[in-house]
Amino acid sequence: KMSTNPLDVIQKAIEIFKSDPKVNEIDFIKDVMDTPDFQTYSNELTTILVNLLVNAKEAIIKNSVKFGVIKLKEYFVEDNIYFEVSDNAGGVAPDILPKIFNPYFSTKKQKHGVGLGLYMCKTIIEMHLGGSIEVTNHSTGATFKISLPMR
């Protein structure tokens, strides 16, 4: 683990994510605080954020959302830092929510996914970064929330 500025991780993830031309059709909102540096594996965290952003984009496209929006929010409270990726793609079906982080579970067609992306995100967050991830539905879509210790 290294001392990492959260904004650097976010900027790198956005740079990778925005290299896809399909992203230009989706509104992107970044909402970040002036958070102090924290100890983490920055490459792993960047990869996780890119995975969540790509999943949000794919959900918007799959559900033919006319005015797609993805929001990446970062903030800290006491000793924890939080990253949230939200979309307006309609949310996760209630029967899928309990299985979404299971290995080999996918809602994508077989040739587009093997169901390891969210499972690996959860595994890395819990085992390497010492945090947690959860998904909830809101009025227009889903939010994936990562919680990591700052120390």
Side-chain angles (χ1 to χ4, degrees):
K1 289 185 177 181
M2 295 176 17
S3 182
T4 303
N5 185 291
L7 191 54
D8 292 342
V9 173
I10 289 168
Q11 286 303 118
K12 189 173 178 185
I14 291 170
E15 189 177 300
I16 294 167
F17 174 66
K18 287 198 168 190
S19 66
D20 181 348
K22 291 181 183 176
V23 173
N24 296 331
E25 301 165 18
I26 298 171
D27 285 336
F28 185 79
I29 301 167
K30 180 176 72 170
D31 179 9
V32 297
M33 290 181 71
D34 186 17
T35 304
D37 289 4
F38 71 112
Q39 295 290 316
T40 193
Y41 295 104
S42 62
N43 288 337
E44 285 84 343
L45 183 54
T46 300
T47 300
I48 290 165
L49 292 176
V50 170
N51 188 299
L52 296 177
L53 292 168
V54 168
N55 283 355
K57 174 201 72 172
E58 290 174 352
I60 288 169
I61 292 169
K62 177 182 172 187
N63 294 326
S64 303
V65 176
K66 192 170 185 176
F67 299 106
V69 177
I70 297 173
K71 180 176 182 180
L72 174 55
K73 182 176 181 178
E74 175 273 325
Y75 57 98
F76 73 101
V77 178
E78 296 177 4
D79 293 333
N80 289 311
I81 185 168
Y82 300 91
F83 298 87
E84 295 180 6
V85 175
S86 302
D87 63 51
N88 66 339
V92 180
D95 61 320
I96 291 174
L97 270 174
K99 302 182 260 187
I100 201 157
F101 295 109
N102 290 354
Y104 306 109
F105 178 80
S106 180
T107 59
K108 300 173 186 173
K109 293 180 181 169
Q110 223 171 8
K111 66 179 181 176
H112 295 292
V114 294
L116 290 175
L118 290 175
Y119 169 72
M120 290 305 297
C121 287
K122 183 177 188 333
T123 301
I124 292 168
I125 289 167
E126 291 177 352
M127 297 179 84
H128 291 265
L129 306 179
S132 63
I133 184 170
E134 62 183 37
V135 59
T136 55
N137 285 325
H138 54 83
S139 61
T140 61
T143 298
F144 286 81
K145 181 178 180 180
I146 299 168
S147 171
L148 300 174
M150 291 189 70
R151 300 176 197 205

